[in-house]
Amino acid sequence: EGMPQTLSSTSMFTPCGFSPHLHTSKEDEQGGLIFQDGNLTSASLDALIQHLIPTTDYYPEKAYIFTFLLSSRLFIEPHELLSQVCHKCIEQQRLDDPVLDKARIRKFGPKILQLLTEWTETFPYDFQEERMIGHLKDMIHRIAPCDEAYWKKMNQLLQTLNQKLATLSHGQEGIVKISAAVSDKLVAFKSKPPSIQREILSVCSDPYTLAQQLTHVELERLSHIGPEEFVQAFVHKDPLDGTKTCFSEQKKTSNLEAYVKWFNRLCYLVATEICMPAKKKQRAQVIEFFIDVARECFNIGNFNSLMAIISGMNMSPVSRLKKTWSKVKTAKFFILEHQMDPTGNFYNYRTALRGAAHRSLTAHSNREKIVIPFFSLLIKDIYFLNEGCANRLPNGHVNFEKFLELAKQVGEFITWKQVECPFEQDPNIIHYLHTAPIFTEDGLYLASYESESPENQTEKDRWKSLRSTVLGKT
């Protein structure tokens, strides 16, 4: 409930997939690349790969490298791409010659090292594959005889990469452990009293502190998501390949999925905390507490936790508690709800997000840099961008214009996920957020009916059936 509405693709981006020959007046072509008004709009895959490859006097633009490495995986697997890049470099720089042209390679060396460095820094997960590391080492072995410094550079690159991968996999294991712990503890329902758990207010009674700890969790989880996961989430068969999808192995989107799970957990945790207390006064107190937490999240720029809290409060078992809500000062809640209102393709939220993004650009402190977008809407935007435009044009060219738009959205996200959390961590609160038992949907309804009796026949029937299935009572 309260989930994103379907977005119209037109509001997202200008339509693309135009047929190239309509624009001959403004087009110019260089080496199979089609430009329009100075922007690369389309090209064959081969021409795009060639455009990625540095020479003694050429190095691709940073934006091009990111866009192409991000989107190329829809057409060719990373290890295959790196293999082609290395192969072409060997050919073009004559790295197979028995006697190497040292002067020439000293001009080329730093550039290929720079490209490999950018690749490992931005898409480290690509290098979990042995083959990738193999191509990397092969390249260095060929140029290293011309300059001792290249060995050092290479070792540095591999060391940084290994550290990064170790940190990331350590983080992933942590996340897996947490999810497992939670599923063991999924509490269907235990009659109250006694309470089945400490409640949130006994762990943290200050809304400001809780909002900061939620921001810790969000940034920690975001840091593990590789930019490529946004593309891999929507991999279809490449029509020109016909035989296999580019990623036959399990889709590499585990961090993205873990993050969506966290959002759902937070929704249910909020609803559980509200439905649990036996007295209406206490329930109202918990609602007011979460409204304050949500407001602090908004001020911090943590829109994902904000949306999860609002979604939890809007779940039917919570929203039906009329007597409880009558004790709540709801004005603050309606202001927040208005901010996250789905109308007009989430117009209010998008305006607030742009404000936070702008603040982040001009920020002097990490505190002002925080932008945590409402994640499922970001995924939805990227999904519609992907569905709304073809990956290839009718002539078989890669529709690069589409991928520039994709890279813009993913690139902004990468900037945001790199912000260091400025708040002090409270392990106690964070542990609670990840491990406190939460009710299932049935458990929530049951708790809700036990708190405020069913109002109509439908609710009465549901209560009766839940009492027998969940509690084993008639």
Side-chain angles (χ1 to χ4, degrees):
E1 279 142 294
M3 279 326 279
Q5 308 298 297
T6 307
L7 316 175
S8 76
S9 56
T10 43
S11 61
M12 301 291 322
F13 48 87
T14 50
C16 41
F18 52 81
S19 104
H21 51 77
L22 295 180
H23 298 284
T24 33
S25 59
K26 298 184 202 157
E27 275 188 7
D28 59 293
E29 187 173 340
Q30 311 162 7
L33 303 171
I34 310 289
F35 289 85
Q36 197 194 335
D37 301 333
N39 295 317
L40 176 56
T41 54
S42 74
S44 68
L45 186 59
D46 282 342
L48 290 170
I49 294 173
Q50 188 55 59
H51 195 54
L52 181 70
I53 294 171
T55 62
T56 50
D57 48 13
Y58 162 75
Y59 189 75
E61 286 176 22
K62 213 174 174 61
Y64 176 76
I65 296 173
F66 176 66
T67 304
F68 185 58
L69 290 180
L70 178 69
S71 55
S72 59
R73 59 198 68 240
L74 289 169
F75 310 100
I76 178 172
E77 289 193 44
H79 73 88
E80 181 55 31
L81 175 62
L82 185 54
S83 163
Q84 286 200 31
V85 167
C86 292
H87 189 72
K88 288 184 154 101
C89 285
I90 291 166
E91 244 169 42
Q92 289 160 20
Q93 302 302 326
R94 299 200 210 94
L95 297 177
D96 266 344
D97 287 7
V99 180
L100 295 176
D101 178 345
K102 289 196 174 181
R104 176 191 179 132
I105 290 171
R106 283 201 189 101
K107 281 187 192 158
F108 165 75
K111 295 200 171 91
I112 187 68
L113 279 167
Q114 176 61 29
L115 180 69
L116 295 172
T117 304
E118 281 189 50
W119 193 336
T120 54
E121 280 173 357
T122 319
F123 299 95
Y125 288 120
D126 284 354
F127 292 85
Q128 281 173 315
E129 267 202 71
E130 275 305 306
R131 286 179 285 192
M132 292 290 283
I133 302 286
H135 295 314
L136 202 79
K137 288 182 171 167
D138 177 56
M139 194 69 227
I140 306 293
H141 280 286
R142 289 170 185 277
I143 60 171
C146 299
D147 194 331
E148 280 294 297
Y150 295 163
W151 288 116
K152 215 166 126 187
K153 231 11 229 260
M154 158 83 172
N155 282 330
Q156 227 173 342
L157 182 152
L158 286 174
Q159 219 175 344
T160 312
L161 177 63
N162 284 332
Q163 275 170 338
K164 200 158 193 176
L165 286 173
T167 312
L168 290 168
S169 74
H170 177 69
Q172 277 175 312
E173 281 159 27
I175 283 172
V176 170
K177 278 198 192 89
I178 285 166
S179 312
V182 171
S183 59
D184 296 344
K185 283 191 184 172
L186 266 184
V187 174
F189 185 78
K190 295 210 173 97
S191 317
K192 316 169 273 191
S195 161
I196 55 160
Q197 62 183 63
R198 296 186 299 168
E199 72 288 323
I200 187 79
L201 288 171
S202 68
V203 181
C204 175
S205 57
D206 174 39
Y208 191 65
T209 306
L210 188 60
Q212 292 186 344
Q213 298 310 304
L214 285 168
T215 304
H216 252 295
V217 175
E218 298 279 352
L219 286 171
E220 159 70 20
R221 289 183 163 248
L222 280 184
S223 69
H224 298 298
I225 298 173
E228 70 283 357
E229 294 192 38
F230 289 102
V231 173
Q232 281 154 200
F234 308 123
V235 168
H236 297 303
K237 272 195 167 171
D238 183 12
L240 291 194
D241 187 9
T243 50
K244 57 178 180 30
T245 51
C246 290
F247 282 92
S248 35
E249 320 112 82
Q250 146 262 352
K251 281 234 199 92
K252 303 173 178 174
T253 54
S254 52
N255 300 298
L256 202 134
E257 286 158 30
Y259 190 49
V260 173
K261 273 193 189 129
W262 151 252
F263 177 91
N264 293 335
R265 170 170 169 81
L266 184 53
C267 293
Y268 273 86
L269 181 65
V270 168
T272 300
E273 295 283 349
I274 294 170
C275 290
M276 226 175 17
K279 296 194 168 63
K280 130 178 112 209
K281 191 177 151 194
Q282 289 169 303
R283 291 193 297 273
Q285 192 189 356
V286 177
I287 291 177
E288 295 206 323
F289 173 70
F290 276 120
I291 292 172
D292 288 338
V293 174
R295 198 168 59 165
E296 289 305 338
C297 286
F298 180 83
N299 294 338
I300 288 171
N302 177 357
F303 297 106
N304 203 51
S305 293
L306 164 67
M307 196 53 161
I309 293 170
I310 291 175
S311 303
M313 289 183 171
N314 279 330
M315 285 172 89
S316 306
V318 177
S319 60
R320 68 169 290 281
L321 299 170
K322 308 272 186 304
K323 292 176 186 143
T324 303
W325 280 96
S326 71
K327 297 243 168 291
V328 174
K329 303 185 196 67
T330 46
K332 288 193 289 193
F333 181 61
F334 294 137
I335 292 170
L336 288 172
E337 254 199 328
H338 177 67
Q339 285 294 350
M340 303 309 270
D341 178 9
T343 322
N345 189 8
F346 286 88
Y347 179 80
N348 298 344
Y349 158 69
R350 290 181 190 279
T351 308
L353 180 70
R354 274 199 302 277
H358 182 73
R359 171 182 78 179
S360 176
L361 285 174
T362 55
H364 297 299
S365 67
N366 272 352
R367 171 71 188 72
E368 296 169 325
K369 277 188 192 149
I370 298 171
V371 184
I372 301 169
F374 169 29
F375 196 64
S376 55
L377 187 59
L378 177 71
I379 291 181
K380 204 153 193 168
D381 285 353
I382 289 172
Y383 175 77
F384 277 102
L385 170 60
N386 194 52
E387 290 296 298
C389 291
N391 287 341
R392 290 189 190 261
L393 302 177
N395 65 0
H397 271 192
V398 171
N399 182 357
F400 203 72
E401 197 175 14
K402 164 181 175 171
F403 295 121
L404 282 167
E405 182 55 40
L406 180 71
K408 204 169 83 185
Q409 295 194 17
V410 176
E412 195 169 27
F413 167 79
I414 290 186
T415 315
W416 296 336
K417 85 179 184 102
Q418 286 167 343
V419 175
E420 292 252 333
C421 192
F423 310 120
E424 204 174 322
Q425 204 171 359
D426 184 323
N428 208 7
I429 299 174
I430 288 180
H431 180 73
Y432 183 86
L433 289 170
H434 280 126
T435 58
I438 49 175
F439 289 147
T440 57
E441 196 174 350
D442 283 350
L444 281 174
Y445 271 108
L446 192 49
S448 178
Y449 296 143
E450 303 263 327
S451 299
E452 293 187 19
S453 313
E455 297 202 339
N456 53 40
Q457 202 46 51
T458 320
E459 289 195 340
K460 279 180 186 150
D461 295 344
R462 181 155 194 188
W463 190 24
K464 217 167 121 177
S465 106
L466 284 175
R467 285 189 70 120
S468 68
T469 53
V470 181
L471 295 180
K473 290 182 179 168
T474 43

